[in-house]
Amino acid sequence: MGEAGPGPKEAPEPEEDEATAADTPVLAVSQRNVKRNGSRSCLNRSRFSSRERDWLREDVGRGCVYVYGGDSAAAALSDLRLVLCTVDTPASEICDEEERKNLFVQLHGDLVRRLEPTEKPLQIVYDYLAGLGFDDPVRMQEEAANSDLSCMIRFYSEKPCQMEQLDRILLSGIYNVRKGKTQLHKWAERLVILCGTCLIVSSVKDSHTGKMHILPLVGGKVRLFLSFLFSQLKSLNLSHNRLGEFPVSLCEISTLTELNMSCNGLYHLPSQIGKLLNLQSFWLDGNFLTSLPEELGSLQQLSCLGLSFNNFCELPAVCENLTILDKIAMAGNLLENLDLTVLNRMSHIKSVDLRLNNLKRAAADTLEGNKSVIYMDLRDNQLTDLDLSSLGSLEQLHCERNKLKELTLSGFSLRALYANNNCLTSVSVYPVPGQLTCLELAHNQLQCVPDWACEAKKLEILDMSYNLLVELPSRILSSLSLRKLTVGHNNLQSLPPLLEHIPMEVLDLQHNLLTKLPEMLFVKALNLRYLNASANSLESLPSACTGEESLSMLQLLYLTNNNLTDQCIPVLVGHPNLRILHLANNNLQAFPASKLSKLEHLEELNLSGNKLKTIPTTVANCKLLHTLIAHSNDISIFPEILHLPHIQVVDLSCNELNEILIPEALPAALQELDLTGNTNLVLEHKTLDIFSHITTLKIDAKPSLTTDSALTSTFWSHGVAEMAGQRNKLCVSSLALGSFAEGMEAVYGMFDGDKNEELPRLLQCTMADVLLEEVQQSDTMFMSNTFLVSHRKLGMAGQKLGSSAVLCYIHHDMADPASTFSLTVANVGTCQAVLCRSGKPLLLSKVFSLEQCTEEAKRIKEQKAIITEDNKVNGVTCCTRMLGCTYLHPWILPKPHVSSIPLTVQDELLLLGNKALWEHLSYTEAVSAVRHLHDPLAAAKKLCTLAQSYGCQDNVGAMVVYLNISEDNCTCEMHGLSLPGPGGFSSTTAKTATPSSSSGIASEFGSELSASEVSSEVGSTASDEHSAVGLDGSLLPRQERRCSLHPLLPSSIFQRQPSSATFSSNQSDNGLDSDDEQPVEGVMTNGSKVEVEVDIHCCKGKGLELEPPALAYSCSAPGVEDDSGLVLIIQRQNSINSTAAHGGVKEKCELQKSPSTCCLYGKKLSNGSIVPLEESLNLIEVATEAPKKKTGYFAAPSQMEPEDQFVVPPDLEEEVKEQMKQHQENGADQEQKEEPAVALTEEFDTAL
């Protein structure tokens, strides 16, 4: 070793040539006694000395690796070593330094392999980080030094022995084993275990004591005489190893009937493979094979051959000789043309799987028919037209996700046809398929149902949703065999009448133009159990019976988003077996109590988005009810549902509830109660104590309107909704920070764990902190690094579990904080973000799934992952990029898609949702459904409700962020408050959103007072040596808040210390009543006196701009006789906008103290709502001009504090006098202009 890095053993020589040091491999080993930080496998990062850090900074090719001892589960701290090295340091050098024979690497806490002496550990780490998505060498050096990385990649000085590895036992038994090659060594009976890539040999006696020999089968030096050792072996699985070449010795095991060599990086097979005459099943998936040896044709007993995900460009000719072979499995290869003539020669082939190839053409050179193929899978190819009419025996065809425009088939034997997600305009089947039972043609461009489908006598399932149908043939609806009909998302305006009884069980008619249903639908379709007619224009429902007794078997009825009124409720009584009823977003104003009592079997009821004022008390008769969703109504009385024994979920958010009558004990089954958005609701401590036992209780938090949150609420506000659906746990979490970092930023995110709830919650708690750290470190890659670091921080939880994620960051430009707002979005998986700009959706994210992202599917194929028939990577997930699931690396990556866009005044709202939401709602429908709503919480609730009514049964999450961005994105008061929100919403709505830390409207309050008119004790910041001067009582402008984009001109501003001005009032018009039941926060009361902490700013009049009369009113008052003076402004920042007052409501306000400013907020009610201030209260009147009311406006003692004087330096006196004189003249002119509009009619009786 030429140079050694700093450490306990060696230190770098300071006089050594730097160039030489950079090119020489460096190695130093340090042993540290460090503490664990959380998990057992992660160590504290603070283990470098300053010399070590300096040495690492000199070259990005330097770094460190952590080397653990043999016991990974409970490694002694003394066995953990930190090795400083370079990317050129081989494993052999590290082994020599540590006096070890081998070095092992473990990925994701799972597979372990021995490193070759020439392999370079640090380079392996860097390559791994680059594969994750890191591209900055300096950042990769930092990440490699992080001990959290050991959960993904870890090095051992000894082969780790874990009992968990025994779960991977492939074969075990007692065999005769001989050590050595000579005959001198005798055979001995030993217990032999084939576990993973190792052969474990131990004596039968010592097998339970742990004494064993572990022989690596990959890269080892042990020669196995498998023909003797496994003389009776019939099944051998060596998949997912790194063999590279097929072991020729395996060909000597003639007893093998099953052999799995998948995912071993094989490029060819040896000719000796023909010796395995007894082989029946041979799996070679996930390799790099391009051809098969002819000797393989001698395996006449071979009936199953797996060739998927290799590099074949055509069907192997050797398959013609395998006469027993009945299936060709070649998914994920490179076939571009399918020669049906070759299939004709393989008369023994019955099943063909050619998914995920590059097929563009499938044709036959001759007219010869094929009578053997009964199953064909051509999904996810590039076919534009397909003619398989020569396959007379074809029973089932899969051709989804191609580019087909025309499809021609033979109907002699056809039983099932799946052709969804194409561009089909015509489908021809001849003759009429008499055996056809299932026909799926969804997501195409068909304008009518094919005639041959109407004549199919055994058709049971027909799916033609998402097409261009304008009418439905009567033969289809009246079919005597059809049991399930799905024709949603078409242009149907009416349905044909029913004349005969039909066996229909499932009918999906959603998203059409229907105004009514067939009159005899429920009478003739007595077997109908499921009906979804949501998103139509229904105004009435057909009767369920013609006589007194109803025979309806309907159990699930979805009628959301129609025009139904109260008159449809009596019809529902004719369906006594209803279990699920969705009537959301209709025109219901009441639900008759007598009708609800008859629905005794009701289990789920959704009445949200109507105009209901109450839920009938007869809901207590629905003993089986477990879910009640009635948000976004006008309900004021809490329904009597807490007596129901099976009630689990109750959602009464966004209503007018004012009290809750609850029993002494809640139902044991109650899991979720949502009461958010009820602005008049007051919950007593006793009630909250009873509700504390509910698993999920959602109520409005008492708003904490800080300076930052009140300011940012001007520009954005959010609402979040998460619904578990029919699953017993919620695996979706949301992140919503309307005031992030320094307050003028926001972060919103959504995380979907599919079937695990642990990872979404971890990301919800940690991702914002990671983003904040990354923003401070990087100007360009902060969003990508946030995802990669969050991926690492998942630790051991992220080894087997994964989560989709989307993160939205609203911020100013990193280099220019005074720039406009920008929106940066990053996502992995299936969570998406959509921006509504000028009423139209703008997709900002990318769907990383095999079905919707061809680039990702191609990458997965090239990396030889196994994609199962349900389109999942290794049968685990359909996502190609996720946070977590590290054991599926490199197929599943955490690198996100990142996009950034500047926000404009046309941007109305931002939508975030998980996979379930966007599967059932299009971007256009989601935007149009909520852009005219005023409450973001109600908007998010509506999106989730629509998804559930449209058929979603999984977890669904939605977040709606309303944006109110000005033209230049500034935070000035004149800009920030002038724009309407989405759909023209404003603060003067009939029902406002519940305030939160990130919602509301910020404004500014200022008034003008002279020093002689305020009784206060002020600690001045001016120097005592300055002479005392008075303040000229002239017309003063109200100072507006300005952002960094539009700063005020410099005017020698200086600030005095906060003072405590004393006022008294019995009952003032500003709402500070003396008989308030509770003291107002921020206001100190003492008898009739009210002490308010204010901020007094002294400014030179030069440079101040006069505001128009509409913004503020300023009055003049006599001041001190001295002509020179300063501007005194009492300024209140970040208050509730004065224009947000409710008509006819008596406003109350609250004064909240701040360290440096007086903030007047609307008085917070006990439920957390805020009543805005009146416009007339934007000014604190000058004391001498205070209104003379009998009750007194401000009845303050008229005394003068001698110390309350303002000091101006002598050298500035003349300049101040001149400026104030000019300012006074301008003020007089302005006062004349304002006088007619703002003349005061009140009298004044008390001077301050």
Side-chain angles (χ1 to χ4, degrees), residues 657-692:
L657 294 177
N658 49 38
E659 62 178 348
I660 298 180
L661 299 177
I662 60 175
E664 296 182 357
L666 296 177
L670 186 60
Q671 300 177 3
E672 180 178 345
L673 176 61
D674 193 344
L675 301 174
T676 55
N678 289 277
T679 57
N680 298 322
L681 182 61
V682 179
L683 294 180
E684 300 178 352
H685 292 289
K686 180 181 179 181
T687 304
L688 291 175
D689 183 59
I690 296 176
F691 283 166
S692 63

Side-chain angles (χ1 to χ4, degrees), residues 787 803-806 826-831 846 848 881-883 893-897:
F787 274 68
S803 174
S804 297
V806 60
N827 82 293
V828 293
T830 53
C831 292
K846 186 175 182 179
F848 288 102
R881 299 199 183 188
M882 300 175 67
L883 297 180
L893 298 178
K895 185 176 181 180
H897 169 268

Side-chain angles (χ1 to χ4, degrees), residues 615-621 628 637-644 661:
I615 300 294
T617 57
T618 53
V619 71
N621 293 338
L628 174 63
I637 302 176
F638 194 84
E640 298 181 6
I641 55 175
L642 298 182
H643 299 279
L644 299 177
L661 299 177

Side-chain angles (χ1 to χ4, degrees), residues 565-579:
T565 61
D566 303 349
Q567 298 179 357
C568 73
I569 302 300
V571 179
L572 300 177
V573 180
H575 306 286
N577 297 307
L578 271 181
R579 296 190 298 108

Side-chain angles (χ1 to χ4, degrees), residues 1003 1135-1141 1172-1178:
S1003 63
S1135 67
I1136 300 299
N1137 183 19
S1138 61
T1139 63
L1173 298 173
E1174 292 184 357
E1175 184 175 4
S1176 61
L1177 303 181
N1178 263 351

Side-chain angles (χ1 to χ4, degrees), residues 573 591-601 616 618-622:
V573 180
F591 201 115
S594 60
K595 308 303 179 183
L596 184 59
S597 62
K598 297 181 180 180
L599 301 178
E600 298 179 353
H601 294 86
T618 53
V619 71
N621 293 338
C622 303

Side-chain angles (χ1 to χ4, degrees), residues 441-459:
L441 299 173
H443 292 274
N444 281 286
Q445 300 177 12
L446 297 171
Q447 297 182 358
C448 61
V449 179
D451 292 336
W452 53 265
C454 301
E455 299 176 5
K457 301 301 182 182
K458 294 185 178 181
L459 185 62

